[in-house]
Amino acid sequence: MVFNVYVRVKDGNIPIHARTHKGCVIKVPSKTKELSCYLNDIWPEGTTNPAIFNKLLEKSSIHRDNYWVAFGYTGSGKSYTINGLLEELLKFFISNPIGISITGYQIYNEKVYDIFNGNKVLRVWKTANLKITGLRTVRVVNIKNILLQIEQYRRLAKTNMNCVSSRSHAVFTIVC
């Protein structure tokens, strides 16, 4: 499996030490020494979700299965980015004559909830593979309705750094 690492800058910038045709190197100061880090690219402040989507699509097109993961500190824009990319991805595939479907669940306070089934608690078994029973698959007909369901059922809770943090992990699977 190929891993590409991209950074989206919300505030400020990240100085690039060196750039190659495959990516860039940044230097991160620490208390004891300077650390070098290789990134496939940095999206500067102001980069739009459609621009990020097009770059990811270009890089993902050579692989059958793709996984896009966002991580960062509270309030850094993970949900904003993932929701924007999900919308772009659904727009891209909606014209597929076979159709597309989506599942979505969130892990919140150690329980798993079905986002597209009114936050129904799901049963999960941890075997060699993760098994989730009762997860609803929804055929994508109207993108706005899908995004509204996600917005309606994502759990939100206040933290010291963000008054509307999801405090959950969401997993969406799109099948064409």
Side-chain angles (χ1 to χ4, degrees):
M1 180 181 293
V2 174
F3 286 95
N4 291 308
V5 178
Y6 299 91
V7 172
R8 181 181 202 170
V9 179
K10 182 178 176 184
D11 300 313
N13 66 5
I14 296 175
I16 297 172
H17 176 72
R19 191 174 276 286
T20 70
H21 69 284
K22 290 186 176 184
C24 57
V25 176
I26 63 170
K27 301 261 183 182
V28 181
S30 73
K31 291 181 181 179
T32 56
K33 64 178 180 175
E34 188 174 69
L35 305 170
S36 291
C37 181
Y38 175 83
L39 303 169
N40 292 92
D41 208 350
I42 295 175
W43 297 311
E45 185 175 8
T47 305
T48 64
N49 282 330
I52 291 171
F53 172 77
N54 288 329
K55 182 71 168 188
L56 289 175
L57 187 64
E58 173 189 318
K59 295 291 185 181
S60 299
S61 64
I62 58 173
H63 306 288
R64 184 179 178 279
D65 296 324
N66 291 279
Y67 304 90
W68 295 350
V69 178
F71 63 93
Y73 58 88
T74 297
S76 64
K78 299 176 298 294
S79 293
Y80 172 80
T81 299
I82 288 296
N83 289 343
L85 294 177
L86 181 60
E87 180 178 7
E88 293 300 318
L89 191 60
L90 292 173
K91 285 180 196 174
F92 180 79
F93 283 120
I94 194 77
S95 61
N96 185 334
I98 298 170
I100 60 172
S101 59
I102 186 171
T103 61
Y105 62 90
Q106 65 183 322
I107 304 164
Y108 182 77
N109 283 340
E110 299 183 29
K111 290 187 179 177
V112 178
Y113 299 90
D114 189 339
I115 291 174
F116 296 113
N117 195 7
N119 268 343
K120 177 183 172 189
V121 177
L122 298 169
R123 294 191 60 184
V124 178
W125 286 271
K126 298 174 191 170
T127 61
N129 297 313
L130 181 66
K131 296 187 187 265
I132 302 173
T133 60
L135 185 61
R136 183 173 178 212
T137 299
V138 178
R139 184 170 167 80
V140 178
V141 177
N142 184 313
I143 295 170
K144 285 187 180 183
N145 286 344
I146 296 293
L147 298 174
L148 283 171
Q149 284 184 58
I150 293 168
E151 183 180 331
Q152 180 180 359
Y153 290 109
R154 279 299 306 274
R155 301 277 182 156
L156 299 177
K158 183 178 180 178
T159 68
N160 289 336
M161 293 189 63
N162 185 352
C163 63
V164 289
S165 173
S166 64
R167 298 184 55 91
S168 69
H169 303 282
V171 177
F172 299 100
T173 302
I174 299 170
V175 178
C176 297

